[in-house]
Amino acid sequence: MTDTMPSDLLDHARAAKGFMPEDEGALLHRIALERLTHGPVLEVGTYCGKSAIYLGAAARQVGGTVFTVDHHRGSEENQAGWEHHDTSVVDPELGLMDTLGQFRKNIARAGLEEQVVAVVGQSTTVAAHWRTPLSLLFIDGGHGEEPARADFAGWAHWVEAGGYLAIHDVFPDPADGGRPPYELIYLPALASGAFTEVAVTGSLRVLQRTQGSAGDRL
Ligand SMILES: C[S@@+](CC[C@H](N)C(=O)[O-])C[C@H]1O[C@@H](n2cnc3c(N)ncnc32)[C@H](O)[C@@H]1O
């Protein structure tokens, strides 16, 4: 089996709206291929399913399940007036963002409904009830201070020994982008002593759990 994205699924990933450059998606796919036989993958921040297609492609190849958590109401930076707003994902009746429909279409078109399971809700609420060790945790949710801090506190300890914590939009240089994923997820993960960096592509950082086990507080 090759570790590159199957070409049919790469086409679906390219076509989906979202925020996952192809080289970073390829890394996500590769680390999911490596880990999925050890347990489920969980993504925080689904949006329209672009990154979930890279993760789901690995599940189609080796088996396993990808959970993807999002309230589908958009992050701060997706709201009207902000840089990443897209009027095509606003529910006209409610006047609120709703990316769930686009996500379902993209996953169905890609044929990944068996592999990718949407969990619709606040990341903090889902995390508070979560009890399952994760072979790979990919954090790409709200990029403000509060959601970044909460995602680290709520999810990172569920990565199993040898599993990966992947973090998107990590910018050590403030000139390149916002600080919270770097300051409130990446640095605390390294400072905990539980994780060691193993791969970098663009703004995607991959850390491996090298101390402790799933569920142990960091
Ligand atoms: C940067 S986008 C995710 C991009 C996606 N991974 C992709 O490949 O295109 C961030 C997503 O996180 C979600 N989000 C932000 N804060 C959240 C929270 N507290 N709980 C659940 N989802 C949240 C937003 O609704 C948004 O869809």
Side-chain angles (χ1 to χ4, degrees), residues 18-20 45-47 50-51 70-71 74-75 121-123 140-142:
F19 308 100
M20 182 48 58
T46 316
Y47 196 59
K50 197 178 188 75
S51 46
D70 201 308
H71 48 38
S75 306
Q122 271 286 351
S123 171
D140 192 20

Side-chain angles (χ1 to χ4, degrees), residues 165-189:
L165 167 61
I167 311 159
H168 201 214
D169 295 324
V170 172
F171 299 115
D173 181 346
D176 295 331
R179 306 297 281 159
Y182 173 67
E183 285 180 348
L184 302 171
I185 305 176
Y186 173 80
L187 290 181

Side-chain angles (χ1 to χ4, degrees), residues 16-20 28 43-52 54 68-79 97 99 121-124 138 140-143 147 151 168-169:
K17 241 185 232 312
F19 308 100
M20 182 48 58
L28 270 187
E43 164 178 78
V44 181
T46 316
Y47 196 59
C48 298
K50 197 178 188 75
S51 46
Y54 287 99
T68 180
V69 179
D70 201 308
H71 48 38
H72 288 279
R73 295 301 187 207
S75 306
E76 197 178 39
E77 59 274 16
N78 304 129
Q79 306 302 323
M97 282 190 59
T99 48
Q122 271 286 351
S123 171
T124 44
F138 172 47
D140 192 20
H143 286 23
D151 283 339
H168 201 214
D169 295 324

Side-chain angles (χ1 to χ4, degrees), residues 27 31 34 162-165 186 190 195-201 204-210:
L27 175 57
I31 58 175
E34 238 184 81
Y164 292 134
L165 167 61
Y186 173 80
L190 289 177
F195 293 95
T196 306
E197 186 162 278
V198 291
V200 185
T201 295
L204 179 65
R205 301 285 177 133
V206 182
L207 313 183
Q208 184 163 38
R209 187 146 194 192
T210 43

Side-chain angles (χ1 to χ4, degrees), residues 66-151:
V66 175
F67 293 99
T68 180
V69 179
D70 201 308
H71 48 38
H72 288 279
R73 295 301 187 207
S75 306
E76 197 178 39
E77 59 274 16
N78 304 129
Q79 306 302 323
W82 288 71
E83 188 190 349
H84 294 294
H85 185 59
D86 179 341
T87 50
S88 71
V89 287
V90 174
D91 178 316
E93 184 199 332
L94 300 176
L96 296 173
M97 282 190 59
D98 187 353
T99 48
L100 182 58
Q102 279 276 335
F103 161 78
R104 296 209 75 191
K105 264 203 176 78
N106 288 335
I107 295 300
R109 283 184 185 131
L112 292 173
E113 287 187 299
E114 284 295 308
Q115 289 82 11
V116 180
V117 176
V119 181
V120 181
Q122 271 286 351
S123 171
T124 44
T125 307
V126 181
H129 294 274
W130 190 265
R131 297 290 179 272
T132 305
L134 298 171
S135 65
L136 161 61
L137 168 65
F138 172 47
I139 301 185
D140 192 20
H143 286 23
E145 287 188 10
E146 201 185 309
R149 196 176 279 118
D151 283 339

